[in-house]
Amino acid sequence: LEAFFGDYYYPLAILQFIFDIPRALGYKYLVTVVLAGLFMWTFLRRGLNMRREAALVGAVAFMFNTQFVSHFFPGHDGKMFVISWLPLSLFAVKRLCDTAKIRYAVLLSLSIGMCILTSHVQTTYFSLWGIGLYFLYEGISALRADKAKAKFIGKVALFSLGIGLGLGVGMVQFLPPYK
């Protein structure tokens, strides 16, 4: 546990204790690809308000893009896990900027926490940069449209809460090596 390798705390790791390792990895890959498609469909359809057909095409394209599925063969499941949770994070940021509701900060923290619990911290780091830049884009766009600085500050607070809680979820994996 203190060596900080593997996805010991990631929820799909339970499959490795139920099935033999090759079968468990296959199920993990399958669930990850399906989650990636569902999360991207949610982001496109409910976040960006795209038509159902366009969201479906985008989700299927995301599920089977070469950058994503090419990680099967070399066993880079950690990268796949992080990539699959990114659309949910972007959906949470978009809805948080649109509505300023705390439930989207909680959803953001859940998705970030799941990314941290994977075995690929570097991809999570890059995802956090992308999430932050997307928040800046959405937040500044909303600020320009509304001209309400108080709303913007509230959104920044909720975004910070979501990031902080997400990092807190990941501390179960980060803290043991630093005893």
Side-chain angles (χ1 to χ4, degrees):
L1 295 178
E2 293 182 4
F4 196 75
F5 64 89
D7 54 355
Y8 189 76
Y9 294 109
Y10 190 67
L12 292 179
I14 193 76
L15 295 173
Q16 294 169 204
F17 299 103
I18 298 171
F19 302 106
D20 57 304
I21 296 299
R23 186 174 308 271
L25 283 174
Y27 288 143
K28 283 168 67 173
Y29 288 148
L30 178 66
V31 170
T32 299
V33 170
V34 170
L35 284 177
L38 289 174
F39 293 156
M40 181 54 83
W41 186 87
T42 302
F43 174 56
L44 295 175
R45 178 75 176 135
R46 305 205 177 197
L48 299 180
N49 297 318
M50 290 186 162
R51 288 192 348 230
R52 195 173 313 137
E53 298 82 12
L56 180 63
V57 169
V60 169
F62 183 75
M63 285 171 67
F64 299 113
N65 76 70
T66 55
Q67 177 61 30
F68 186 57
V69 297
S70 65
H71 295 300
F72 281 143
F73 183 69
H76 294 293
D77 55 349
K79 289 181 182 181
M80 290 183 66
F81 299 151
V82 175
I83 292 169
S84 70
W85 285 94
L86 182 61
L88 187 64
S89 298
L90 296 176
F91 168 73
V93 168
K94 174 69 174 152
R95 297 298 294 156
L96 187 139
C97 287
D98 289 346
T99 65
K101 292 185 178 176
I102 195 165
R103 67 178 159 190
Y104 296 112
V106 172
L107 185 62
L108 177 63
S109 68
L110 171 76
S111 63
I112 289 172
M114 289 299 109
C115 289
I116 292 173
L117 293 179
T118 67
S119 59
H120 212 281
V121 179
Q122 182 180 12
T123 307
T124 302
Y125 172 76
F126 293 133
S127 294
L128 287 171
W129 272 103
I131 292 164
L133 290 172
Y134 186 64
F135 172 75
L136 284 177
Y137 169 76
E138 287 292 335
I140 291 171
S141 297
L143 180 62
R144 285 184 174 175
D146 290 344
K147 305 276 191 227
K149 291 183 182 178
K151 284 184 181 180
F152 180 69
I153 292 172
K155 291 173 185 179
V156 169
L158 285 173
F159 178 75
S160 300
L161 175 71
I163 295 291
L165 288 175
L167 293 174
V169 167
M171 286 301 112
V172 71
Q173 183 146 325
F174 278 127
L175 288 181
Y178 293 108
K179 63 178 180 172

